Amino acid sequence: MKKTILYLLAMLLFPAMASAQYTYFEEMVEGGDGFKLLTRIYLPEGDGPWPVVVTRTPYVYGGRGDNNRRGREYASRGIGYIQQDCRGKGGSEGFFSPNIYEREDGIALYKWLEKQDWCGDIGIFGTSYTALTGWLVADSLPQKVKGLYLSHYGVDRHISCYRAGLFREDIMSGWVIDNAEEDIIHPEKKDGQGPGENYYDFYLYRPQVEADVNVLGQRLDYYRDWITHTDYTDPYWNSGVWGDLKRIPALVNVPVTIVAGQFDHHEEGTLLGFERLSPEVQAHSRLILGSWNHSFQVTPTHVPTSRAKDFIIEEDQFNWFYGLLVEKKLPEKEIKVYAIEEDRWIDLEEWPIKADEEMRLQLSSERVGEKGKIFKLQEERSRRARLSYDYDPSDPIIATGGETIFTSIRRRGSNLQNEAGYRDDLITFVSEPLERDITIAGSIKLLLRVSSDADDTAFAFTLSEITPDGKAYNMRNSITTLAYRKDLLGKRRKYRAGKRVDAEIVALPIVWTVKAGNRLRIDVQSSLFPEYAVHSNTAGVWAEQAESRIAHQSIFVGGKKRSYLSLPLMKIEDVF
């Protein structure tokens, strides 16, 4: 079924050409450390040199030989197509150690291509890990390389892995299980479990630093490195491959198209890839931000999204490379963002988005209804009050939707939420119906005045819109810890149990128009599993903690030291 869908999609994107011809051959190209890497080459018929597009990938399916439809279609239309299997994958020699050898192996490939008489101008492309292989060579490109087309990969690895010291488990830990070359024990799926839920026992194992051996049966040193270096300033994230990845975008000197998704776990770091380009390169580069998850599946689904599907990455990528490599056109700058619920694309002059105004909604102690911990979310200030709940790490809240979920496929994106107040360990705040449409554009923030009887803990939120029929759909969520309560990218701070402090929780960027008549709902809680590691309620590196405890959490609302939701708003008439 999957192959049939891909075939039909390819036929729609690349209509058959009866006379199209191409040449396919393979080369074992030497990479780093003397290993030979299988390089699959599709070239147009006739006399070269030919423009080519190149990618390097660990995701190799179907064995060797002429089995890449995209390669055939590119070559049939005048552009060569080259795919190299990463070290230890497919037909390449060596052992696959994620990320480590991609820079040296990639540089070796492009030096080899520079010398080939049949190779003309080069474009580099990739999505997810394959985009990493493009970024890691982007400062060391030969003259033949004219541009890069990279999607869904962050250029700052710590930001891709962490939020406030909590690891993004459903993508990072899940990716390890799915892609480790070591002979690991794959968790078995039990009756009734949804996709990815069989990994949850691994995610919840304490101490996590021993989960590789005790659950998967193999020691994975690279994974242990990821889960124990929690500070952004740690040398681990600023040297070696991750140091290279962070510094390279500013050094790129060719046009770049960067594609990101508002419900892709790499959204934040992918956007940084555009932000860190030099002004000179940005002047001829593109940023496309759509409303989809990592697999380009459009979300949400409870509102019209037909225009979201106007952007088809395979078509856009081919057209961009054709203009650049065949027609020799220097690209123009473009920043295009899909506005959710408006169901249209907007063109911006600059990124990040600069809000036109801020809308503040106060968390209050005025009850809504007679059941559960449900209170008003309102513009006016309320009386001072303390709202409390207990957080038990052994019974975390499982997110029913979110922007950094991956392995748990059915939970990705914007989904129907549980009814307000459905658990005792969260507090819900609900607004009155909006009197006007508002377009949220940028990063939503929740500013909380809190205390806990733990020496460290987490606070999180899920912001949803409630439609007139009473159904709620998540828009954004995020999390912080008391150790990183004021600086996500700083060093771990101490917290004295019982002290009242301010904590800022910042969500990933979004462009979403909430229609008049809809209401806003925000759930405040202490876990967002499996998106983020479950906090143990003890201070220290999360992966090294073997025990957990229940924490008694308090949120202070009303008065001068109030807790409030900050929404960045954009005037849509200025950009539509």
Side-chain angles (χ1 to χ4, degrees):
M1 181 65 173
K2 183 177 180 181
K3 289 184 178 179
T4 301
I5 293 172
L6 292 175
Y7 177 83
L8 292 174
L9 176 61
M11 291 298 291
L12 289 172
L13 297 178
F14 303 110
M17 295 177 62
S19 61
Q21 299 293 324
Y22 65 91
T23 299
Y24 174 79
F25 61 99
E26 298 176 355
E27 292 279 353
M28 294 298 291
V29 177
E30 186 170 318
D33 302 316
F35 290 107
K36 299 289 184 66
L37 308 180
L38 179 62
T39 307
R40 307 159 190 260
I41 301 169
Y42 291 82
L43 295 179
E45 282 288 310
D47 298 326
W50 298 107
V52 301
V53 296
V54 186
T55 193
R56 302 186 61 257
T57 180
Y59 306 124
V60 182
Y61 310 104
R64 301 182 68 152
D66 176 6
N67 56 20
N68 189 311
R69 181 172 180 83
R70 185 185 291 178
R72 295 194 294 268
E73 298 295 347
Y74 263 79
S76 296
R77 284 153 179 79
I79 301 178
Y81 184 97
I82 299 172
Q83 174 190 304
Q84 185 177 79
D85 300 351
C86 290
R87 188 186 302 194
K89 287 289 189 175
S92 292
E93 298 174 350
F95 184 82
F96 180 63
S97 296
N99 315 299
I100 303 302
Y101 305 115
E102 306 306 353
R103 178 170 169 79
E104 60 182 298
D105 289 346
I107 289 174
L109 172 62
Y110 293 105
K111 285 183 177 179
W112 180 80
L113 286 172
E114 181 81 359
K115 298 175 182 178
Q116 305 309 305
D117 293 338
W118 49 261
C119 180
D121 289 344
I122 299 171
I124 298 173
F125 76 94
T127 294
S128 195
Y129 190 102
T130 64
L132 162 75
T133 68
W135 277 120
L136 282 177
V137 298
D139 66 328
S140 302
L141 301 174
Q143 289 296 316
K144 286 185 177 181
V145 177
K146 303 302 181 183
L148 302 100
Y149 193 110
L150 305 173
S151 63
H152 289 188
Y153 199 86
V155 299
D156 196 314
R157 183 63 168 188
H158 179 276
I159 287 175
S160 296
C161 289
Y162 279 97
R163 198 75 172 172
L166 292 179
F167 197 61
R168 288 186 166 129
E169 288 203 279
D170 199 55
I171 170 57
M172 304 311 304
S173 301
W175 188 92
V176 168
I177 293 173
D178 288 341
N179 292 278
E181 279 295 288
E182 292 82 357
D183 186 20
I184 66 171
I185 302 169
H186 286 265
E188 294 184 4
K189 191 173 181 180
K190 301 174 184 176
D191 291 342
Q193 287 184 325
E197 293 177 7
N198 51 314
Y199 294 176
Y200 289 4
D201 287 345
F202 175 78
Y203 300 165
L204 293 169
Y205 187 90
R206 295 185 185 277
Q208 180 68 194
V209 74
E210 296 176 6
D212 54 355
V213 172
N214 294 343
V215 179
L216 304 182
Q218 294 287 337
R219 182 182 175 95
L220 305 174
D221 288 324
Y222 62 88
Y223 180 67
R224 292 188 176 208
D225 284 338
W226 298 354
I227 63 177
T228 55
H229 295 89
T230 58
D231 284 349
Y232 183 77
T233 56
D234 192 302
Y236 175 76
W237 303 110
N238 295 281
S239 59
V241 62
W242 306 129
D244 288 335
L245 182 63
K246 184 183 291 189
R247 68 174 177 79
I248 283 174
L251 303 176
V252 175
N253 60 11
V254 296
V256 187
T257 287
I258 293 175
V259 180
Q262 294 181 75
F263 285 90
D264 173 43
H265 56 269
H266 274 304
E267 183 205 19
E268 186 176 21
T270 304
L271 295 173
L272 285 175
F274 183 82
E275 293 174 27
R276 292 179 180 178
L277 296 174
S278 69
E280 295 77 14
V281 173
Q282 274 197 16
H284 298 286
S285 295
R286 304 164 72 221
L287 173 63
I288 310 296
L289 178 59
S291 183
W292 47 64
N293 59 30
H294 197 66
S295 303
F296 289 94
Q297 296 166 322
V298 171
T299 185
T301 58
H302 71 282
V303 294
T305 57
S306 60
R307 296 294 302 277
K309 301 169 186 176
D310 288 350
F311 179 83
I312 302 172
I313 188 169
E314 292 90 346
E315 182 179 279
D316 184 79
Q317 177 181 296
F318 180 85
N319 290 337
W320 190 75
F321 277 133
Y322 194 88
L324 181 68
L325 303 177
V326 178
E327 299 177 336
K328 309 291 185 180
K329 293 179 180 178
L330 185 64
E332 296 182 359
K333 182 177 181 179
E334 181 181 32
I335 302 173
K336 191 174 289 291
V337 180
Y338 179 77
I340 299 170
E341 212 155 328
E342 287 289 341
D343 192 24
R344 67 178 84 182
W345 292 85
I346 61 175
D347 293 306
L348 301 178
E349 293 295 326
E350 298 294 336
W351 184 273
I353 296 174
K354 293 181 180 178
D356 295 309
E357 61 178 297
E358 178 193 20
M359 181 178 186
R360 288 191 178 186
L361 297 174
Q362 314 297 326
L363 277 59
S364 81
S365 58
E366 294 187 42
R367 285 192 173 274
V368 175
E370 299 178 355
K371 295 182 179 180
K373 300 175 181 178
I374 307 174
F375 303 91
K376 285 187 177 181
L377 182 65
Q378 58 192 33
E379 293 194 60
E380 62 271 17
R381 190 183 302 179
S382 64
R383 63 181 178 83
R384 289 187 298 175
R386 178 201 294 255
L387 306 176
S388 300
Y389 65 93
D390 290 343
Y391 159 51
D392 184 354
S394 67
D395 184 24
I397 292 175
I398 298 179
T400 55
E403 51 270 33
T404 62
I405 292 178
F406 178 70
T407 307
S408 303
I409 296 173
R410 69 182 183 184
R411 300 181 185 275
R412 290 193 291 184
S414 177
N415 296 317
L416 179 64
Q417 298 296 290
N418 293 306
E419 63 180 359
Y422 76 103
R423 285 178 57 136
D424 289 335
D425 54 353
L426 61 78
I427 303 175
T428 298
F429 302 87
V430 179
S431 75
E432 293 294 326
L434 296 179
E435 297 180 354
R436 62 184 175 105
D437 293 358
I438 60 170
T439 298
I440 302 170
S443 293
I444 297 160
K445 298 179 182 178
L446 180 64
L447 290 299
L448 292 179
R449 184 75 169 172
V450 300
S451 72
S452 174
D453 67 348
D455 58 3
D456 190 18
T457 189
F459 288 92
F461 76 83
T462 298
L463 177 66
S464 305
E465 73 166 2
I466 304 176
T467 56
D469 61 2
K471 294 180 180 179
Y473 300 87
N474 61 293
M475 303 166 65
R476 271 299 181 252
N477 63 29
S478 193
I479 198 165
T480 195
T481 60
L482 295 184
Y484 296 92
R485 59 188 178 272
K486 289 188 176 181
D487 188 359
L488 288 174
L489 306 183
K491 292 184 177 180
R492 184 181 299 275
R493 303 173 55 148
K494 291 184 178 180
Y495 170 74
R496 177 169 53 83
K499 183 179 180 181
R500 298 185 184 185
V501 296
D502 295 318
E504 181 181 72
I505 312 176
V506 183
L508 304 186
I510 191 81
V511 178
W512 188 315
T513 297
V514 184
K515 297 294 186 177
N518 287 355
R519 291 177 291 158
L520 295 174
R521 163 181 150 186
I522 189 163
D523 296 325
V524 179
Q525 55 212 65
S526 287
S527 56
L528 282 174
F529 183 76
E531 284 190 82
Y532 299 96
V534 175
H535 202 296
S536 67
N537 291 327
T538 54
V541 176
W542 75 279
E544 296 174 348
Q545 296 165 348
E547 303 293 335
S548 66
R549 51 154 293 189
I550 295 174
H552 306 291
Q553 318 285 61
S554 293
I555 301 170
F556 300 91
V557 300
K560 292 183 178 180
K561 292 292 185 180
R562 58 193 183 278
S563 298
Y564 64 90
L565 175 67
S566 173
L567 303 175
L569 303 185
M570 178 174 65
K571 297 177 182 178
I572 60 174
E573 62 269 18
D574 293 340
V575 293
F576 288 171

